[in-house]
Amino acid sequence: MRLSLFLSFICLISAVFGYCPPGSYEWQTHCFFYQSSATGFSTAETNCISIGGHLASIHDGFTNSLLNQQALSFFNGSTDFWIGLDNLQTMENKWVWTDGGNFDFFDWSSGKPDNLQTQNCVTINMTDGRWQNINCFSSKPYICAVSNAAVVTTTPSNAYPCAGGFVYFEPTNSCYGVFSYQIDQKWSNAESYCESFGGHLTSVHSYAEFRLIGAFAAYGKYAPWSGLFSNDGGRSWQWSDRSPVDFLLWQPGYPSGSGPCVALAHSGLVNSECNDEQPMICKIPL
């Protein structure tokens, strides 16, 4: 009887406090996933969001040293790796963490940060553990941080059959991708392009899904098209994939009278003219 109660207690502790799955590294309140597949900063961040976290933020010297020492084992042959710090999300070139945490610690290399017009994202140099700002399109390995407050059962996105450049999102069982190598398109052309891959311009049905897609928008020059449009002058809206319109997070001041097609900015949906040429985000259900 006592053994049964003890095992029940252990199960309860696991359910309440969570655990980190094999292959991750647990420290304090987070599981850290070391992703050795090098990629650009924004793709790294969206990959982290797809497994329930963000690129790692660092708030003290011990954590900075600890993560870097572990990286020596995971990132063999690399010189540096992405963390979740950038200055793309503010107009004043302020450094912010992608998880929204306080910028209360830094460990810059000598002379850094510099060239703030072109080098807007941060890596840790594995030689000395110091930080450096570099071009966000550089391909680097990265560390995702996921809270261990809940049992972590998700799998990194590269284990799922999404085409190159796409990110897997488990709650919707769908692949999302920005075709940055394509020129900007009118809304109808963008929708046709997504349909050629078996999908549509993306629909959004929860705040979690909005956060994932919003990460693409945060690091692009223009807000990409979503699949939302109106046929009646904005009195009603519908998704191009014909899914329910059950979540609409408009940017303040929108919808306006500027057009019946909708793009997805970092802070919410914005409507504009369908003939405007903008990037696209495709959503392909699996």
Side-chain angles (χ1 to χ4, degrees):
M1 180 67 177
R2 289 182 178 179
L3 177 60
S4 176
L5 288 173
F6 176 75
L7 291 176
S8 297
F9 176 74
I10 293 297
C11 291
L12 177 62
I13 291 295
S14 296
V16 173
F17 292 100
Y19 65 89
C20 293
S24 64
Y25 182 81
E26 185 169 12
W27 169 243
Q28 293 179 335
T29 60
H30 285 82
C31 305
F32 293 93
F33 293 83
Y34 286 75
Q35 307 289 352
S36 59
S37 298
T39 188
F41 181 88
S42 60
T43 299
E45 170 65 8
T46 54
N47 284 347
C48 292
I49 291 174
S50 74
I51 62 172
H54 291 275
L55 284 169
S57 61
I58 299 172
H59 302 281
D60 61 79
F62 187 85
T63 300
N64 190 71
S65 176
L66 184 65
L67 294 183
N68 188 55
Q69 289 177 31
Q70 294 297 320
L72 296 173
S73 300
F74 286 96
F75 300 150
N76 184 33
S78 299
T79 59
D80 57 340
F81 58 90
W82 292 121
I83 55 175
L85 192 66
D86 71 87
N87 67 2
L88 294 169
Q89 302 176 63
T90 64
M91 299 297 294
E92 302 85 11
N93 281 330
K94 292 182 179 179
W95 296 101
V96 296
W97 294 109
T98 57
D99 66 4
N102 294 328
F103 184 48
D104 50 10
F105 171 83
F106 57 86
D107 193 10
W108 296 109
S109 296
S110 178
K112 297 291 184 177
D114 63 355
N115 298 325
L116 297 183
Q117 298 304 311
T118 60
Q119 300 184 9
N120 307 105
C121 299
V122 176
T123 64
I124 293 183
N125 188 311
M126 291 169 58
T127 301
D128 58 10
R130 307 294 295 274
W131 301 2
Q132 55 194 8
N133 61 307
I134 67 172
N135 189 294
C136 300
F137 292 97
S138 302
S139 289
K140 302 290 180 182
Y142 55 99
I143 301 176
C144 297
V146 180
S147 172
N148 62 7
V151 175
V152 178
T153 59
T154 52
T155 305
S157 60
N158 57 14
Y160 290 89
C162 292
F166 276 76
V167 172
Y168 179 78
F169 189 51
E170 187 175 31
T172 63
N173 193 34
S174 298
C175 299
Y176 301 79
V178 177
F179 291 93
S180 58
Y181 53 85
Q182 293 287 328
I183 61 173
D184 295 345
Q185 300 278 354
K186 299 176 182 178
W187 189 93
S188 60
N189 292 341
E191 170 65 13
S192 295
Y193 190 78
C194 292
E195 288 177 352
S196 72
F197 284 85
H200 293 273
L201 286 169
T202 188
S203 57
V204 186
H205 299 284
S206 69
Y207 184 68
E209 189 175 18
F210 168 77
R211 284 177 56 205
L212 171 72
I213 302 166
F216 287 116
Y219 304 108
K221 186 176 180 181
Y222 303 107
W225 287 123
S226 75
L228 194 66
F229 68 98
S230 174
N231 280 328
D232 56 11
R235 289 188 295 274
S236 63
W237 300 90
Q238 55 187 303
W239 295 110
S240 60
D241 63 7
R242 299 182 181 179
S243 58
V245 182
D246 50 11
F247 180 86
L248 291 179
L249 183 61
W250 292 100
Q251 183 170 285
Y254 291 88
S256 66
S258 56
C261 292
V262 178
L264 203 153
H266 179 56
S267 55
L269 298 166
V270 295
N271 63 306
S272 61
E273 295 297 333
C274 299
N275 286 332
D276 290 348
E277 295 184 345
Q278 298 179 190
M280 69 188 83
I281 294 183
C282 298
K283 176 180 179 180
I284 302 175
L286 296 182

